[in-house]
């Protein structure tokens, strides 16, 4: 076996050998998952409810029977410690007692009515307090919230152009699927069924590049910049010191607005990354964790932007605005959000999460150093990630270049076979209130064993 290390510090042959061994181990240990997956394949496209569920490293889909706290139980009875946590959807643990109780109470009083209730008033006030923006609306997902915000802001500004950062992630909003390829904007080829050229109304620049940002804003036709305060889905990319302060000044100078998508960076604290770092966007989107696992999202506007948006709606002809869905802000979702904001999205809970994630991140760094690998670890509150590069990437292009799909999948499957699960799409780990020091130790021990196998 050739063992010449690649840029990741690990030989390709070792990665292939590890992946082969771990696939065989998984297949032998999970016969009921295999049988259930085969049965599901009769009527489910790709054999799963959503096609991207096949992006896990497993030879066939793992079938879950129960999720509670920081643990999952699969069809074969294996208990696994969950550091994926629904890619932030279960950031406060699976089935948090406060949310479960609120749902049970509300279920007997009504599920959906298309009408407001007391929870809506309480939730909007709590969101205003947490995020520092006074006016709020709701959606079923962060994707919907981002899509609705783009409509509101284009209407409010009279401008059509959206500006995003290369490698961004904002759910499945069509407008954001534009990448920089050799320095030129290009619509992403993986976007299915797209019939309009997105590059006509979407501009893309590299994160942390203030000169490129200013040049893209200069024509004066950008309605808004839509951004995560920290890039998270191409591997985490932190803003350089002073980047956001200067970027906000440039955005406003050119008459544009800033929308911060805090769906993943809510791991920073009860008011997200922006509030934790003293940043003041014009609008904020928050999704997955807001309802403790229930489908719901919210978006908030500054008072000035809300007034412009309301004026645009009143000036428009009668009819459907293209904003909202029938089940948006249903009674169950509002009850879940109220319980989450009241009981879980609190400074005390986040202090515990941050301390535990820091312990995890330090342990990952120690293991990487022991095995002399050129990797780094980035942390954003309760969320951390290891990347296959010696120093943290500055932008989406650098983060993308650091990825190694084969190595990533081999590592993920190794960990899964040892009872710990991390996010399938990259190397992200998240802790929740139910994550224990023993859980972290188990992940670190398995991670260390994996690196030992890869570098022996």
């Amino acid at each position: 076996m050739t063992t010449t290390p690649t840029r990741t510090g690990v030989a390709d042959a070792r990665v292939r050998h590890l992946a082969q061994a771990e696939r065989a181990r998984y297949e032998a240990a999970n016969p009921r998952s295999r049988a259930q997956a085969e049965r599901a394949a009769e009527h489910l496209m790709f054999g799963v409810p959503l096609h991207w569920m096949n992006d896990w490293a497993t030879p066939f889909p793992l079938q879950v029977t129960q999720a509670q706290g920081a643990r999952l139980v699969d069809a074969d009875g294996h208990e696994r410690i969950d550091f994926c946590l629904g890619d932030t959807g279960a950031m406060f643990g699976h089935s948090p007692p406060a949310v479960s109780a609120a749902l049970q109470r509300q279920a007997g009083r009504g599920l959906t009515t298309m009408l407001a209730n007391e929870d809506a008033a309480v939730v909007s006030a709590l969101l205003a307090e947490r995020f520092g923006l006074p006016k709020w609306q709701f959606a079923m997902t962060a994707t919907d919230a981002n899509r609705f915000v783009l409509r509101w802001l284009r209407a409010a500004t009279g401008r059509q152009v959206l500006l995003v950062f290369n490698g961004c992630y904002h759910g499945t909003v069509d407008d954001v699927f534009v990448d920089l390829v050799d320095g030129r904007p290009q619509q992403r080829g993986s976007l299915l069924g797209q019939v309009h050229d997105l590059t006509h109304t979407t501009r893309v620049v590299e994160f942390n590049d203030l000169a490129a940002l200013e040049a893209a804003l200069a024509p004066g036709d950008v309605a808004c910049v839509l951004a995560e305060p920290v890039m998270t889905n191409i591997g985490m990319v932190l803003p350089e010191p002073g980047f956001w302060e200067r970027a906000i000044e440039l955005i406003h100078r050119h008459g544009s607005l800033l929308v911060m998508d805090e769906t993943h960076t809510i791991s920073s604290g009860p008011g997200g990354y922006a509030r934790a770092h003293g940043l003041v966007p014009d609008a904020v989107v928050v999704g997955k964790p807001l309802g403790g696992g229930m489908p719901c999202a919210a978006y908030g506007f500054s008072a000035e932007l809300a007034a412009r948006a309301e004026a645009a709606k009143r000036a428009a002809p009668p009819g459907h605005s293209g904003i909202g869905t029938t089940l948006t802000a249903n009674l169950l979702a509002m009850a879940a959000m109220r319980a989450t904001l009241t009981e879980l999205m609190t400074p005390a809970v986040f202090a515990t999460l941050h301390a535990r994630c820091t312990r995890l991140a330090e342990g990952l760094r120690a293991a990487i150093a022991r095995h002399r690998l050129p990797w780094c670890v980035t942390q954003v509150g309760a969320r951390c990630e290891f990347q296959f590069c010696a120093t943290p990437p500055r932008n989406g292009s650098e983060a993308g270049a650091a990825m190694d799909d084969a190595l990533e999948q081999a590592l993920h499957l190794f960990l899964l076979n040892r009872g710990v699960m991390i996010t399938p799409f990259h190397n992200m780990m998240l802790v929740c209130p139910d994550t224990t020091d023993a859980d972290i130790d188990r992940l670190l021990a398995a991670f260390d064993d994996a690196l030992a196998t890869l570098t022996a």
Side-chain angles (χ1 to χ4, degrees):
M1 179 170 62
T2 302
T3 56
T4 304
T6 64
R7 64 164 180 80
T8 66
V10 179
D12 288 340
R14 290 194 181 277
V15 175
R16 289 193 298 270
H17 180 74
L18 181 68
Q20 182 179 13
E22 294 306 317
R23 281 194 293 268
R25 180 171 179 157
Y26 176 87
E27 290 172 354
N30 296 281
R32 291 182 182 173
S33 271
R34 179 195 285 277
Q36 190 167 310
E38 290 173 351
R39 185 166 66 253
E42 294 179 20
H43 300 291
L44 289 173
M45 289 176 59
F46 305 98
V48 284
L50 286 172
H51 67 88
W52 48 253
M53 290 182 178
N54 278 327
D55 289 349
W56 291 86
T58 55
F60 48 83
L62 187 70
Q63 306 289 318
V64 175
T65 60
Q66 183 177 346
Q68 192 76 40
R71 282 163 168 72
L72 302 174
V73 178
D74 65 31
D76 290 277
H78 306 304
E79 183 180 88
R80 304 179 195 272
I81 304 167
D82 187 7
F83 287 91
C84 170
L85 295 169
D87 198 18
T88 315
M91 190 176 79
F92 299 109
H94 295 289
S95 296
V99 175
S100 294
L103 292 175
Q104 290 171 22
R105 288 193 301 271
Q106 184 57 51
R109 298 199 296 255
L111 305 180
T112 187
T113 62
M114 294 201 308
L115 294 168
N117 70 345
E118 182 191 24
D119 285 345
V122 173
V123 168
S124 60
L126 289 169
L127 288 168
E129 176 189 341
R130 297 286 199 282
F131 291 91
L133 295 175
K135 297 291 186 176
W136 289 82
Q137 289 279 271
F138 296 95
M140 291 293 287
T141 66
T143 289
D144 281 346
N146 281 315
R147 187 180 291 118
F148 300 160
V149 166
L150 291 181
R151 284 191 176 274
W152 281 120
L153 269 60
R154 281 169 165 158
T157 62
R159 297 178 174 188
Q160 294 186 352
V161 177
L162 166 68
L163 197 156
V164 296
F165 291 106
N166 187 38
C168 69
Y169 180 73
H170 301 287
T172 55
V173 178
D174 294 353
D175 305 66
V176 306
F177 286 89
V178 179
D179 299 318
L180 282 177
V181 180
D182 297 325
R184 299 177 65 85
Q186 180 174 304
Q187 188 166 296
R188 195 171 301 174
S190 61
L191 184 59
L192 293 173
Q194 180 62 34
V195 296
H196 304 295
D197 185 351
L198 298 175
T199 61
H200 292 165
T201 52
T202 299
R203 281 186 204 131
V204 57
V205 299
E206 293 285 12
F207 197 65
N208 281 318
D209 190 337
L210 288 168
L213 176 63
E214 184 166 23
L217 292 166
D221 57 355
V222 173
C224 68
V225 175
L226 174 60
E228 292 182 288
V230 176
M231 297 186 74
T232 63
N233 214 59
I234 196 166
M236 287 202 288
V237 181
L238 294 169
E240 294 181 337
F243 169 74
W244 273 121
E245 289 79 2
R246 177 65 174 144
I248 291 171
E249 190 274 325
L250 289 173
I251 291 165
H252 289 163
R253 184 199 302 172
H254 290 282
S256 302
L257 299 167
L258 174 61
V259 183
M260 282 193 163
D261 183 350
E262 294 266 20
T263 299
H264 286 163
T265 53
I266 191 65
S267 62
S268 302
Y273 185 96
R275 198 68 187 269
H277 292 81
L279 305 174
V280 185
D282 300 287
V284 160
V285 168
V286 60
K288 287 179 280 193
L290 187 56
M294 278 291 293
C296 54
Y299 54 97
F301 289 166
S302 68
E304 192 252 346
L305 174 55
R308 293 171 69 182
E310 289 179 1
K313 171 59 180 159
R314 293 190 179 99
H320 202 297
S321 62
I323 297 168
T325 59
T326 303
L327 294 179
T328 293
N330 65 75
L331 300 179
L332 276 182
M334 300 310 299
M337 285 187 278
R338 181 172 182 172
T340 301
L341 285 160
T342 304
E343 303 292 334
L344 301 171
M345 283 181 64
T346 67
V349 170
F350 273 98
T352 300
L353 298 184
H354 292 176
R356 287 179 182 156
C357 192
T358 297
R359 185 173 184 274
L360 172 57
E362 290 174 349
L364 293 170
R365 292 189 186 101
I368 289 166
R370 272 195 302 276
H371 297 284
R372 300 180 181 180
L373 287 166
W375 303 356
C376 64
V377 177
T378 305
Q379 180 184 353
V380 178
R383 179 186 184 101
C384 68
E385 181 155 7
F386 61 88
Q387 291 164 281
F388 305 133
C389 49
T391 57
R394 294 184 61 252
N395 55 47
S397 289
E398 290 183 10
M403 288 183 164
D404 185 311
D405 290 343
L407 176 56
E408 182 179 294
Q409 293 224 334
L411 276 168
H412 291 193
L413 191 52
F414 185 101
L415 296 174
L416 187 68
N417 282 336
R418 283 146 189 85
V420 289
M421 187 171 73
I422 70 174
T423 303
F425 314 114
H426 38 96
N427 298 316
M428 193 277 289
M429 287 147 285
L430 194 66
V431 300
C432 74
D434 300 286
T435 306
T436 66
D437 286 344
D439 295 338
I440 292 171
D441 290 341
R442 185 170 175 182
L443 170 56
L444 292 174
F447 183 69
D448 191 72
D449 286 348
L451 300 194
T453 303
L454 288 167
T455 59

